[in-house]
Amino acid sequence: MKDQDVFAHRTACDLTIVGAGPAGLFAAYYAGFRGLSVTLVDAQPDPGGQVAALYPAKTIHDVAGFVGVTGAELIAGLRAQAEIYEPRTIFGQNVVDIVREEREAGLSVSLEDGSAIDSRAVILATGVGGIRPRVLPLGHGWHGRGVTYVVHDPSSHEDEDIVVVGGGDTALDWAIQLSPIARSVTVVHRRRQFRAHASQMSRAESLGVTLLTESEIQAIHGDDAVRAVVVRDSSGAEHEMPADTVIGALGLVTAPSPFAAWGLAMQDRKILVDSAMQSNVTGVFAAGDCSTYPGKVALMATGFGEAATAVNNAAVLIDPDLSLFPGHSTDEELQPEFVAAGSEG
C-alpha cells in the first residue's frame, strides 16, 4: 500500500473506506478490482482491526477455503490482496465527520488532524469500533508479568500452567489452542453455564482442559511473575493452583459510536442498511460488524460478501455507466496486470 503520512489539507478519491479490518481490507481490494481510486483510513497505526490487535494467533474456522487460518495469516493475505491495486492509506487517524456537499465529489470525510477527503462514496467497515479487552479485576499490577489478554505467540507458553478466565468462545478457543503445548490448562467461569458452543466445550474436555464453573479467582500470587491463583467455588471453598499465565477472556469494552451524530440511521448501535448495503445517507455504505439489516448473521464470512456488495453498488453510484455485476474474476481482462502476465506460456 502507498502510505501517505502527509496529506494536503484536502484530497480526492472515488471511494473512502473507513476501517482496515478484514471487511475493509477486502473492500479496498474489490474497489481496486472495479477500477476505483481508494483511500483507506483507520484509527489504528496498523491494518488488521480487532483480529490483528486481539487475536493474531487465534485460529479462525469460518473463512471459506480454510479449514483453519490464524488471524495473523488471514490479515497478511488480505493486505497482500489489497496492495495489488495500491490504495492510498491513512493510519492512526480518526474520522470525525462525514458531510454531504454540493460538489462533484459529493461527500467530505473530515479527519482529526484537520484534513479532509473529497469522496464520491464512503464505505464504513469499522467493526465494533474502538475496542479494548475487559480487564481482570485482580489483574492490575500483574499485566506483563503473567496476566495477558492476547496470545500473540502460543509457542511462548510451552510447558506452562495456564488459567483462562471467561466462559465464551474466545476463552475456549485459547484453551483448545494452548492445551497441546501447555503443562495444564484450566478455564475458570463464574456462571453455571458456558456461553461457548457445546462443540468447543466437548473438544476442550477431550483435550484434557479442566472446566471450572461457578468459580472465581480470588487472588493472584507470585513474585516477579505470576506463580499461582486462588480459586473459590460455589460452596465457598478455596484452593490454590499453579499458574504461569492468566489469560483474561471477559469480552470487550467498546467506545461510543459517532455514527448517529453523522446523521446515520441506527439500530442496536449498528448502521441500518438496505440490500445494497447503503445507509439512509446517499453514498454512505456500511459492511461487516458495524452494519445491520433484517436476518443478518454476524460472521466474518458474511462481512466479505457485504464488502463486495457495498463496493459494487458504490461503483454504480459513482459511475452509472458501470454494470452492477463486475464480471467473473477469472476473466483474463479483469485480472491484475501481473497476474495475467504470469499466466502466459
Side-chain angles (χ1 to χ4, degrees):
M1 300 179 189
K2 291 181 177 178
D3 291 324
Q4 296 272 331
D5 294 328
V6 180
F7 268 64
H9 180 71
R10 187 174 290 276
T11 57
C13 64
D14 292 326
L15 179 65
T16 298
I17 299 169
V18 183
L25 288 170
F26 187 66
Y29 159 74
Y30 212 92
F33 177 76
R34 291 300 320 251
L36 304 178
S37 60
V38 175
T39 299
L40 180 62
V41 184
D42 197 286
Q44 300 301 315
D46 297 294
Q50 177 179 332
V51 173
L54 300 178
Y55 311 121
K58 182 178 177 181
T59 301
I60 301 167
H61 299 281
D62 61 352
V63 178
F66 294 95
V67 175
V69 58
T70 68
E73 291 168 341
L74 178 63
I75 295 303
L78 288 165
R79 288 188 67 178
Q81 190 178 39
E83 286 169 358
I84 292 173
Y85 296 105
E86 299 185 314
R88 178 183 293 127
T89 63
I90 306 174
F91 296 135
Q93 281 286 326
N94 280 299
V95 172
V96 296
D97 203 0
I98 299 176
V99 178
R100 287 206 62 81
E101 295 188 342
E102 295 301 323
R103 62 175 72 205
E104 183 180 355
L107 294 164
S108 177
V109 180
S110 301
L111 305 181
E112 64 182 341
D113 67 354
S115 64
I117 306 165
D118 288 333
S119 189
R120 302 178 71 185
V122 172
I123 295 177
L124 298 172
T126 57
V128 295
I131 54 173
R132 59 178 175 82
R134 193 179 302 277
V135 299
L136 292 167
L138 297 174
H140 299 290
W142 292 104
H143 187 255
R145 299 166 56 205
V147 170
T148 187
Y149 302 94
V150 181
V151 178
H152 292 283
D153 179 11
S155 65
S156 66
H157 299 284
E158 184 175 1
D159 203 33
E160 287 188 352
D161 292 305
I162 297 172
V163 176
V164 183
V165 183
D169 289 322
T170 297
L172 271 293
D173 286 344
W174 288 136
I176 289 168
Q177 189 163 10
L178 292 168
S179 61
I181 62 174
R183 184 185 303 115
S184 69
V185 178
T186 301
V187 179
V188 178
H189 183 39
R190 64 176 181 169
R191 302 188 186 280
R192 180 176 299 179
Q193 300 292 330
F194 280 87
R195 300 186 309 278
H197 293 161
S199 61
Q200 290 293 82
M201 294 175 60
S202 297
R203 186 179 176 200
E205 289 180 312
S206 70
L207 291 170
V209 174
T210 301
L211 304 178
L212 300 181
T213 58
E214 298 183 274
S215 300
E216 294 186 71
I217 291 180
Q218 297 300 302
I220 297 175
H221 294 160
D223 36 53
D224 59 329
V226 171
R227 303 300 178 191
V229 297
V230 176
V231 177
R232 177 186 293 169
D233 62 25
S234 58
S235 70
E238 295 184 355
H239 65 280
E240 185 174 281
M241 64 175 62
D244 300 294
T245 296
V246 179
I247 302 172
L250 300 176
L252 304 172
V253 178
T254 60
S257 165
F259 300 142
W262 297 350
L264 299 175
M266 307 292 291
Q267 179 177 305
D268 298 327
R269 297 190 296 176
K270 297 179 184 294
I271 302 166
L272 188 62
V273 296
D274 59 19
S275 60
M277 303 307 296
Q278 187 168 208
S279 72
N280 62 305
V281 176
T282 302
V284 178
F285 298 78
D289 287 344
C290 69
S291 68
T292 192
Y293 48 83
K296 169 157 177 160
V297 179
L299 294 172
M300 192 178 298
T302 307
F304 293 140
E306 292 171 352
T309 298
V311 167
N312 285 315
N313 281 280
V316 174
L317 181 69
I318 291 167
D319 184 354
D321 291 333
L322 292 176
S323 169
L324 178 64
F325 177 63
H328 295 292
S329 62
T330 50
D331 295 341
E332 184 174 349
E333 63 271 21
L334 296 177
Q335 294 179 27
E337 182 178 348
F338 77 87
V339 175
S343 66
E344 293 178 359

